[in-house]
Amino acid sequence: MGMANPISLPLYEKIQRKNTLQRVFDSLIFLLLLSLLIYRLLFLNNHGLTWLLAFLCESWFTFIWVLIISSKWNPVENKTYPDRLLQRVPELPSVDMFVTTADPMLEPPIITVNTVLSLLAIDYPSHKLACYVSDDGCSPITYYSLVEASKFAKLWVPFCKKNNIHVRAPFRYFSTNPQTLGGSSSDFQQEWKRMKDEYERLSCKIEDAVHKSVPCDLSGDFAEFSNVERKNHPAIIKVIWENRTGLLDGLPHLIYISREKQPNHPHHYKAGAMNVLARVSGLMTNAPYMLNVDCDMFVNNPKAALHAMCLLLSPNSEKEIAYAQFPQVFYGGLKDDPYANQLVVLYEVGWRYGSTAEDIHTGLMIHKRGWRSIFCTPDPPAFLGCAPSGGPAAATQMKRWTTGLLEILFSKSFPLFATLFGKLQFRQCLVYLWILTWGMRPVFELCYAALPAYCIITNSHFLPKVQEPTLYILVAIFVIYNISTLSEYLRAGESIQAWWNNQRMSRINTVNAWLFGFLNIILKLLGISETVFEVTQKDQSNDDANDVEAGRFTFDGSPIFLPGTTILLVHLTALVVTLLKWQPPPRDGHGSGLGEVFCSVYLVICFWPFLKGLVGKGRHGIPLSTIWKSAALALFFVHLCRRTTMD
């Protein structure tokens, strides 16, 4: 039997993933939620405010569940064949690669340098590549680091391609022993040692420059950085390296850009930086394709660009597909994902203004015009980034995401408008609604979290009694939902502890970081304040991954931890009230029961890191100022509950 002609073979295949069990779980939960809502409606007139609030919250949860079912109903995987691409396409198109950084203190230059070095060394014709680095901090340190990195790149790029190195970010590559990398020959080990010494010299130079705050005398090539203010300076564009001879195996172009900024002129954060990169690259290299990464997202798969081209250069792709997207995957993550920010189970695209989530905003506008996007999931992952490794940094990231999502939700870019008046498909609309409504969760979850404590303190109820058959509906929802989500994590290769950490952090993030993101939008809509893009602290070191203290929750004096501490104190108070039988007599003979107590205990367990933080020390303890404020708010809540009972 003859072999298939490679010209006739597809560049990628769409593989439907089996999802029968998950569909059964999701459908059961939906039917149970509907049954619960019907039960609430039938007896709504026989109960008071707590019943109505529970009905409203559960209606929201049901609506969100419909959106979740729609987004997960038909999972597909795109399998790409880069080897066929090289046989089919006589000349690959050019690619302009964009890297953005904003603050050399929060985003250390050595991180940006490693990302740039990994991009310069990808498996793609060098004369077809150009790397543009946007520095919104206008830092001479960042520019100096890139200049020094370009010198090292002349050694690093040939070394990677000659030895077919897989991981091409030096800091990550040199953290592994050369024997484990398949290089057993003495020549390779000597070359490896020499390359490592060169990288360590580069790291020392950059570290010394950071400590000095000014890397050198601001003259000559650095003259443009003298007497500049970070938020008030002219545009600075510098060609650090130019592949003038157009060598196939040379070094790609490397260009530094710090866009012009004026104090009274809005610069639109990262979206503005990306648009400047697009305009400058359009004048300099004008590649038909762009690759966009954050400064901490280094290339983990050297064939990443080839995988993307398999999707973009397939027949009809250029007429239908606007962009290919890689999932966000992280390296050196803490064991069992204690902050639930590694996005293992949940994978979120352009640069539209008006939102700090410029990627989703621009993706929505592209889809509105009828274009498609496609998900690229090569093995190993194409890019790896660093996830925040502390409570404050993780909360800041979550708050920024929530703020950006709600900015889109409450704008003329509302997905339903894009479906009614544009070309956004209905199922796409549902997916966007699911993502954008994350920021609305604090309103309903905070209310639902307060109901058990309120009912215990006032000796009322919002859940069926133990002897009522309807209680089995709630028990079934709780059990099936947890089994369903646990199975998802186990199928993704995660541990039970990682699953629990994500369940717990979902409650914590909702009433803390997401709540503050929601409040930010309310203030913006009222015209009281504008949203601010907060850069997340980046940390290249992954030593914490093996630190026994690394998984412990950390706090600071930020008010972002105030709501969670208050919720914990309220429920601890409620449990004390029920244990000591300080409840008033029930009005209708039906006081709080086992259901309310179980919910209260469950929330205390979810907020266990906060409970430990009440007695913790240093960064593992909640500051006294936060505890006192939370205690005052908790007492005020109890007072309102008592006042309601008296009235």
Side-chain angles (χ1 to χ4, degrees):
M1 184 172 62
M3 296 182 64
N5 184 357
I7 303 299
S8 64
L9 295 174
L11 296 180
Y12 78 96
E13 291 179 303
K14 183 176 291 186
I15 302 172
Q16 295 282 345
R17 290 168 54 186
K18 291 184 179 179
N19 200 35
T20 306
L21 182 61
Q22 193 64 48
R23 286 181 179 179
V24 171
F25 281 140
D26 293 345
S27 300
L28 276 175
I29 293 173
F30 174 65
L31 293 174
L32 289 168
L33 285 170
L34 282 181
S35 302
L36 179 61
L37 292 181
I38 293 171
Y39 165 72
R40 293 283 189 199
L41 276 175
L42 290 176
F43 295 95
L44 195 59
N45 294 331
N46 302 335
H47 297 82
L49 180 63
T50 56
W51 204 264
L52 176 61
L53 290 175
F55 172 73
L56 293 175
C57 292
E58 290 157 0
S59 298
W60 174 261
F61 300 150
T62 305
F63 168 68
I64 294 301
W65 194 249
V66 171
L67 300 182
I68 291 174
I69 290 177
S70 174
S71 64
K72 300 194 306 182
W73 195 256
N74 295 312
V76 297
E77 180 180 352
N78 296 306
K79 184 174 178 59
T80 51
Y81 301 99
D83 293 336
R84 298 178 186 175
L85 175 71
L86 299 176
Q87 297 173 351
R88 292 255 311 258
V89 180
E91 185 175 3
L92 292 171
S94 298
V95 178
D96 287 338
M97 305 179 291
F98 296 163
V99 182
T100 54
T101 183
D103 189 320
M105 296 298 106
L106 295 176
E107 299 173 331
I110 191 64
I111 292 181
T112 304
V113 160
N114 270 275
T115 297
V116 169
L117 287 170
S118 69
L119 287 170
L120 297 178
I122 64 171
D123 287 342
Y124 207 83
S126 297
H127 67 294
K128 296 285 186 177
L129 296 174
C131 182
Y132 294 83
V133 180
S134 170
D135 175 21
D136 254 11
C138 192
S139 169
I141 298 174
T142 301
Y143 175 64
Y144 170 81
S145 301
L146 290 171
V147 170
E148 294 300 318
S150 68
K151 300 173 185 176
F152 174 72
K154 297 172 186 175
L155 303 174
W156 175 246
V157 172
F159 170 78
C160 290
K161 295 188 174 181
K162 171 188 172 184
N163 297 289
N164 195 25
I165 302 302
H166 179 68
V167 179
R168 299 188 180 180
F171 89 97
R172 192 75 174 164
Y173 174 74
F174 290 121
S175 64
T176 308
N177 192 286
Q179 278 82 1
T180 63
L181 299 172
S184 57
S185 68
S186 59
D187 290 343
F188 172 79
Q189 292 191 31
Q190 289 177 2
E191 193 175 6
W192 183 92
K193 180 68 168 61
R194 182 173 69 89
M195 202 60 57
K196 184 178 182 182
D197 292 341
E198 291 290 342
Y199 175 69
E200 289 176 349
R201 277 193 282 272
L202 171 65
S203 300
C204 289
K205 285 182 180 180
I206 294 174
E207 188 176 349
D208 290 343
V210 170
H211 290 156
K212 292 178 184 176
S213 74
V214 177
C216 62
D217 182 29
L218 296 181
S219 60
D221 198 29
F222 292 84
E224 292 91 336
F225 295 96
S226 61
N227 300 320
V228 298
E229 299 177 14
R230 179 180 173 182
K231 296 184 179 180
N232 185 18
H233 62 84
I236 301 175
I237 302 176
K238 288 185 166 292
V239 178
I240 297 175
W241 176 259
E242 183 179 5
N243 188 357
R244 295 179 179 176
T245 55
L247 294 176
L248 183 67
D249 56 351
L251 201 63
H253 305 300
L254 178 59
I255 298 98
Y256 169 93
I257 300 172
S258 184
R259 59 186 169 129
E260 178 185 4
K261 284 189 179 179
Q262 297 177 9
N264 299 322
H265 187 75
H267 55 85
H268 301 291
Y269 312 113
K270 183 180 176 182
M274 294 301 301
N275 282 324
V276 169
L277 289 177
R279 288 195 293 269
V280 173
S281 67
L283 293 173
M284 297 184 72
T285 49
N286 197 26
Y289 293 93
M290 297 178 289
L291 171 62
N292 169 35
V293 298
D294 286 342
C295 68
D296 63 314
M297 301 293 290
F298 68 83
V299 178
N300 183 62
N301 186 329
K303 297 185 183 296
L306 297 175
H307 284 285
M309 286 302 173
C310 287
L311 303 170
L312 297 172
L313 297 179
S314 292
N316 299 324
S317 289
E318 291 184 303
K319 298 179 182 178
E320 300 177 359
I321 298 176
Y323 62 89
Q325 187 174 14
F326 296 97
Q328 195 165 12
V329 187
F330 302 99
Y331 67 86
L334 300 178
K335 189 176 185 296
D336 296 325
D337 193 11
Y339 297 107
N341 57 5
Q342 295 176 24
L343 308 181
V344 175
V345 172
L346 172 68
Y347 288 143
E348 295 112 62
V349 247
W351 319 296
R352 289 283 296 191
Y353 299 149
S355 169
T356 52
E358 74 294 321
D359 47 0
I360 293 179
H361 194 187
T362 305
L364 174 57
M365 291 299 98
I366 292 173
H367 288 143
K368 177 184 176 181
R369 296 178 180 179
W371 288 92
R372 291 174 50 216
S373 61
I374 195 162
F375 209 45
C376 188
T377 56
D379 185 21
F383 301 92
L384 294 182
C386 59
S389 58
T396 298
Q397 183 185 62
M398 289 292 177
K399 182 177 76 171
R400 187 182 76 234
W401 287 353
T402 305
T403 301
L405 295 175
L406 287 176
E407 282 177 315
I408 303 170
L409 186 67
F410 294 117
S411 72
K412 61 182 180 181
S413 301
F414 184 59
L416 196 56
F417 297 159
T419 297
L420 294 175
F421 308 111
K423 298 180 180 179
L424 184 70
Q425 296 178 10
F426 182 67
R427 289 281 299 278
Q428 287 179 320
C429 174
L430 295 182
V431 173
Y432 274 111
L433 281 175
W434 171 50
I435 296 172
L436 298 181
T437 52
W438 285 0
M440 296 296 296
R441 282 177 55 179
V443 178
F444 300 94
E445 290 209 21
L446 192 59
C447 177
Y448 211 67
L451 281 175
Y454 173 85
C455 290
I456 290 172
I457 295 171
T458 61
N459 203 13
S460 57
H461 70 101
F462 79 105
L463 297 174
K465 295 298 180 182
V466 174
Q467 62 270 22
E468 295 184 55
T470 314
L471 182 66
Y472 294 113
I473 295 178
L474 287 161
V475 172
I477 291 173
F478 182 81
V479 172
I480 295 174
Y481 173 78
N482 282 286
I483 292 175
S484 171
T485 54
L486 176 59
S487 68
E488 281 188 293
Y489 276 82
L490 293 178
R491 289 198 303 270
E494 293 296 294
S495 65
I496 296 177
Q497 184 63 51
W499 163 78
W500 168 244
N501 287 339
N502 277 262
Q503 299 303 305
R504 176 192 70 186
M505 286 303 299
S506 180
R507 307 283 82 75
I508 291 175
N509 285 329
T510 300
V511 302
N512 287 291
W514 294 12
L515 176 62
F516 273 80
F518 174 79
L519 294 176
N520 278 347
I521 292 302
I522 296 299
L523 294 176
K524 179 180 179 180
L525 293 176
L526 295 175
I528 298 175
S529 68
E530 286 293 323
T531 55
V532 177
F533 188 94
E534 297 178 81
V535 179
T536 308
Q537 174 73 55
K538 306 292 195 306
D539 182 14
Q540 185 187 69
S541 173
N542 60 347
D543 296 338
D544 287 344
N546 301 316
D547 188 351
V548 292
E549 295 290 313
R552 290 186 60 189
F553 207 92
T554 56
F555 303 87
D556 63 9
S558 168
I560 208 168
F561 298 110
L562 187 64
T565 309
T566 304
I567 285 288
L568 173 65
L569 293 179
V570 163
H571 281 281
L572 289 175
T573 303
L575 292 175
V576 170
V577 167
T578 191
L579 286 174
L580 299 181
K581 302 187 182 302
W582 287 349
Q583 297 164 291
R587 285 188 177 182
D588 55 359
H590 298 287
S592 61
L594 185 61
E596 286 79 13
V597 173
F598 174 81
C599 290
S600 196
V601 171
Y602 176 76
L603 281 168
V604 169
I605 294 173
C606 286
F607 282 84
W608 195 260
F610 281 69
L611 185 62
K612 294 169 69 176
L614 292 176
V615 295
K617 301 296 182 183
R619 66 192 186 106
H620 298 297
I622 302 174
L624 278 176
S625 59
T626 302
I627 295 176
W628 285 117
K629 293 173 186 174
S630 296
L633 290 172
L635 288 174
F636 181 66
F637 178 83
V638 173
H639 171 73
L640 288 180
C641 294
R642 291 295 191 187
R643 187 67 179 268
T644 303
T645 306
M646 293 171 61
D647 292 342

